[in-house]
Amino acid sequence: MEESDSGGTAPTGQVVSSLLCCQKKTSFQSWFKVLLLLGLVFVACYTLSDSSPSWTQLYEHYQSFMKRTNEVNSHPGYPVHPKHRESLRHILNRKTGPTLPPAGTQYHQAYAPNYHFIMDNKDVCKIWTPFLALLVPVAPHNVAARDAIRQTWANRSVVQGEVVRTLFMLGLPGGDDAEQVQETLKQENLKHQDLIQSNFMDTYLNLTIKTMVIMDWLATRCPSAAYAMKIDSDMFLNIDNLVIMLQKPGIPTEKYLTGMLMWDRPVVRSKDSKWYVPEEMYPDPTYPTYCLGMGYLFSNDLPAQFVEISKKIKPFNIEDAYIGMCMKKLGLQPTSPPDASQFKAYNWKYDRCEYSKIITYILASSEQLVEYWTDLKKPGAPCKGSE
Ligand SMILES: *[C@@H]1O[C@H](CO)[C@@H](O)[C@H](O)[C@H]1NC(C)=O
Ligand SMILES: *[C@@H]1O[C@H](CO)[C@@H](O)[C@H](O)[C@H]1NC(C)=O
């Protein structure tokens, strides 16, 4: 569970929250802040003797940490129109029960063929067969994130000699300006031909639908691609390293799912959490092994199998864990990447050398993506000592 404005995923967050402490209530958080500050002061006093990190540096560190922590808590980036800002609890407490699936629904709400594409760019994979298709869930109005990605990791159509395509996945915009947003999306797609849109409401709680519609698109519109990746719109992606990884001998061409692996993650049962999943929806206390939603990679034989098996899997609102469940029901397991340290989640600070070696990092903004990317690509060796 993770999330990002991307209309992205679900489970990065769960990990992050357990790493950073954040699912407790505000009072706990303030205590945590105080403790953290005290800790930093202690470290500062301790290190001041040899005066390596300055007070300001430590304070900046603390500030950026808190900023990130708060972002993780509130995810201000994911813009949900007030109309759709209905909490899961609310939906579940309704006398009428959970939200009714759209008319003509088969199986359940997350069964992708229930929906139809409004934009599908169905020829993109026919013109050049991609080695790798990158599918980015993103909120409809978030053109800034799409533009930043177009300028950075989606800029080249050939990477390390392989054809790579990036496409953005959207649902229907909500709110009073929905018609207007829809019109701009059409224009944007005319210009870039990289939007895929389906007719489900684009909301945070519908991210599992979004992921499954991505799978449906890959299975029906892009089956010729060798690999695909679901990657959130707030990610730094070192696309060269990713393709290099996939070109390594021994990387499976079938039944392969990789990324940052999550084992035995407990299901969040605290109703105040963003990642709350009620027992009625998912009774087991833990999730099957899954890959963190920020960015996971798979051989392109899997999407059709995910869609098919999903008929038998009750949906829940944690998209990456849902994919983990599909794997389990298919009798498959996610695989660790050749170098697990290349799939990173939260970063403390930008380091050019570090960014030249990794595959993923979660960023705070689209500006950061452009800034880091530009710096990484400037002339000169990224790591000291290798000049
Ligand atoms: C890719 O980057 C180049 C150089 O920065 C720029 O001129 C070009 O317009 C970009 N292409 C796309 C598709 O954004
Ligand atoms: C999810 O999308 C469906 C189909 O558009 C819609 O009926 C439902 O209200 C959405 N659910 C949430 C929680 O946004």
Side-chain angles (χ1 to χ4, degrees):
M1 339 195 211
E2 167 227 23
E3 124 185 9
S4 81
D5 104 287
S6 52
T9 15
T12 310
Q14 193 184 0
V15 176
V16 169
S17 54
S18 46
L19 285 176
L20 300 182
C21 82
C22 309
Q23 308 209 16
K24 298 286 145 58
K25 301 215 172 79
T26 332
S27 60
F28 174 74
Q29 257 181 42
S30 336
W31 271 109
F32 181 73
K33 283 185 200 184
V34 170
L35 279 174
L36 188 77
L37 192 57
L38 282 174
L40 284 174
V41 166
F42 177 78
V43 173
C45 292
Y46 186 75
T47 45
L48 220 59
S49 41
D50 63 318
S51 67
S52 21
S54 72
W55 276 98
T56 17
Q57 274 172 330
L58 280 166
Y59 184 65
E60 272 167 15
H61 224 70
Y62 164 79
Q63 271 188 321
S64 84
F65 179 81
M66 282 330 297
K67 181 166 171 274
R68 181 43 61 83
T69 307
N70 289 334
E71 268 161 14
V72 170
N73 282 332
S74 56
H75 295 282
Y78 190 72
V80 182
H81 188 271
K83 233 166 117 180
H84 303 115
R85 214 176 278 150
E86 191 175 20
S87 77
L88 184 56
R89 183 162 29 153
H90 208 106
I91 292 170
L92 290 162
N93 286 347
R94 249 193 256 143
K95 295 243 157 50
T96 51
T99 319
L100 288 173
T105 300
Q106 301 182 60
Y107 305 101
H108 54 70
Q109 214 187 16
Y111 181 61
N114 289 334
Y115 305 96
H116 71 256
F117 293 105
I118 296 165
M119 300 181 208
D120 68 350
N121 283 297
K122 63 180 180 341
D123 293 326
V124 285
C125 296
K126 288 186 186 146
I127 305 165
W128 288 291
T129 301
F131 171 70
L132 173 65
L134 301 167
L135 275 292
V136 188
V138 60
H141 75 277
N142 199 350
V143 65
R146 293 190 288 274
D147 280 342
I149 292 168
R150 288 178 183 121
Q151 278 177 57
T152 57
W153 45 265
N155 181 289
R156 288 169 297 153
S157 50
V158 178
V159 177
Q160 303 288 323
E162 309 280 6
V163 175
V164 177
R165 292 301 311 238
T166 300
L167 295 133
F168 299 98
M169 177 74 222
L170 328 155
L172 295 174
D176 301 333
D177 59 349
E179 265 175 55
Q180 212 179 315
V181 173
Q182 188 57 30
E183 194 46 45
T184 17
L185 288 173
K186 277 186 201 149
Q187 298 307 319
E188 190 181 332
N189 188 48
L190 277 179
K191 191 165 163 205
H192 301 284
Q193 284 156 22
D194 60 1
L195 302 186
I196 300 166
Q197 188 184 34
S198 174
N199 71 333
F200 62 88
M201 285 311 300
D202 198 303
T203 62
Y204 182 69
L205 287 173
N206 270 347
L207 288 182
T208 301
I209 300 180
K210 209 171 197 175
T211 292
M212 293 313 290
V213 170
I214 284 177
M215 298 303 169
D216 190 34
W217 186 86
L218 285 166
T220 58
R221 269 67 168 178
C222 199
S224 56
Y227 293 96
M229 184 178 199
K230 187 235 110 172
I231 174 153
D232 285 344
S233 66
D234 59 348
M235 298 299 294
F236 185 93
L237 176 66
N238 190 321
I239 180 77
D240 290 274
N241 289 350
L242 174 61
V243 173
I244 291 167
M245 181 196 115
L246 289 173
Q247 288 170 330
K248 286 205 165 98
I251 293 289
T253 54
E254 283 183 337
K255 300 174 180 166
Y256 183 58
L257 171 71
T258 195
M260 186 190 259
L261 264 62
M262 299 287 119
W263 291 275
D264 301 317
R265 301 303 305 173
V267 177
V268 177
R269 301 293 190 199
S270 148
K271 291 196 176 180
D272 299 319
S273 167
K274 260 204 111 117
W275 302 289
Y276 167 62
V277 174
E279 275 168 50
E280 305 91 271
M281 216 175 233
Y282 188 94
D284 288 356
T286 55
Y287 289 122
T289 310
Y290 65 91
C291 293
L292 200 59
M294 60 172 189
Y296 51 83
L297 197 78
F298 41 95
S299 54
N300 205 29
D301 57 319
L302 286 179
Q305 298 183 51
F306 290 153
V307 173
E308 181 60 25
I309 199 81
S310 81
K311 286 176 179 172
K312 297 179 194 151
I313 308 171
K314 238 173 99 178
F316 53 93
N317 51 306
I318 309 295
E319 66 87 23
D320 44 9
Y322 189 79
I323 292 295
M325 189 48 108
C326 292
M327 287 292 280
K328 187 180 166 185
K329 290 269 153 106
L330 288 166
L332 304 172
Q333 276 278 322
T335 311
S336 289
D339 177 358
S341 73
Q342 286 187 305
F343 287 85
K344 295 251 155 77
Y346 284 91
N347 64 326
W348 286 85
K349 64 176 175 47
Y350 172 73
D351 178 279
R352 189 167 180 235
C353 180
E354 163 86 354
Y355 273 63
S356 73
K357 294 175 180 165
I358 52 91
I359 291 177
T360 64
Y361 252 130
I362 301 175
L363 299 175
S365 68
S366 302
E367 290 77 27
Q368 233 176 35
L369 172 58
V370 177
E371 187 192 323
Y372 295 177
W373 185 271
T374 312
D375 188 75
L376 181 64
K377 296 293 163 183
K378 75 187 177 196
C383 298
K384 285 199 185 100
S386 57
E387 272 127 87

